[in-house]
Amino acid sequence: MNKKCMAANWKMFKTRQEAEETTRELMSLTAAKLPSDREVLLIPPFTAIASVAATIGSKTGFGVGAQNFYPAENGAYTGEISPDMLLDLGCSWALVGHSERRHLFHEDNEFLAQKVRFGLERGLNIILCIGETLNERKNGQLATILNKQLTSALSDIGYTDIASRLVVAYEPVWAIGTGEVARTEDIREAHDYVRSELKKIFSSAADSIRILYGGSVKPDNISEIITLDNVDGVLVGGASLQAESFSRIVLG
Ligand code: PGA
């Protein structure tokens, strides 16, 4: 069975030195006590990936991911980073479809599907982020939106080892960075729905695909969230920036 994934999305925060310091402090607070059924994934900005990977070294239970990549091997794509460049830095995971990429940078389902496919093909493991806006929720479109985001990105994948290569993060857009965490019944409903949709796509392999919750996860709400059925980890933004606060989430 896959371990619970405790992921830190540092967004556009931290220089190399700050990222190294936070990583070192986090490891000293958690490494000795990390339960055997949990792992930590740090997702710093591109510029700090190599330093975080070097700080982690070969320590088990800790890994590095990227926040983004462009779905091409190489080429004239000024400003972009390829999956091979990330793998070369010691980075094995990447986010695709974070709500900030969808909304601020207008990445649509079709482009995100290309990224998922290409990233997996090149050897990256993918964390596909999905979630509804407040308006979509109010209009009763939760299932329609999640269904579209999942099926468009995953329908043609067909990898046999999918459960070790793919993670889905359910992050309601209205709960990201707002301090407004979804109610446990909302999380349960959405995660149950995601699991049932994954089963339609991947049949029994879907049972071991991890589904993370993200959106205002904090040290004081982690224990309630992490124990819910179908919650296989968390994706944390704001509360992951300080080692002390993220360590309480990792161990919480
Ligand atoms: P938050 O961000 O924890 O600050 O709400 C979560 C995310 O963006 O992944």
Side-chain angles (χ1 to χ4, degrees), residues 9 11 98 100 171 175-178 214-218 235-239:
N9 174 10
K11 307 192 180 185
H98 188 277
E100 284 146 23
E171 301 199 292
I176 296 179
T178 58
S216 298
V217 174
K218 302 274 184 289
L235 179 54
V236 188

Side-chain angles (χ1 to χ4, degrees), residues 112-188:
L112 296 172
Q114 272 181 48
K115 282 195 183 186
V116 171
R117 206 164 303 129
F118 192 81
L120 286 171
E121 225 172 84
R122 298 307 298 180
L124 276 178
N125 302 322
I126 298 295
I127 301 178
L128 173 68
C129 304
I130 59 171
E132 81 290 359
T133 63
L134 192 54
N135 262 345
E136 289 162 346
R137 172 168 279 268
K138 281 184 178 157
N139 294 335
Q141 292 174 290
L142 175 69
T144 319
I145 296 295
L146 297 186
N147 170 279
K148 198 161 180 197
Q149 291 174 338
L150 284 169
T151 51
S152 60
L154 302 177
S155 283
D156 306 324
I157 301 291
Y159 277 82
T160 44
D161 53 351
I162 195 69
S164 58
R165 307 278 322 273
L166 174 75
V167 165
V168 174
Y170 168 65
E171 301 199 292
V173 178
W174 46 272
I176 296 179
T178 58
E180 190 157 340
V181 68
R183 297 175 309 166
T184 47
E185 53 265 47
D186 295 333
I187 300 176
R188 196 178 288 122

Side-chain angles (χ1 to χ4, degrees), residues 5 22 67 73 94 137 139 146 158 169 176 194 201-202 215 226 243 246:
C5 176
T22 309
Q67 297 171 21
E73 200 175 330
R137 172 168 279 268
N139 294 335
L146 297 186
I176 296 179
V194 172
I201 303 171
F202 297 112
I226 200 73
F246 191 52

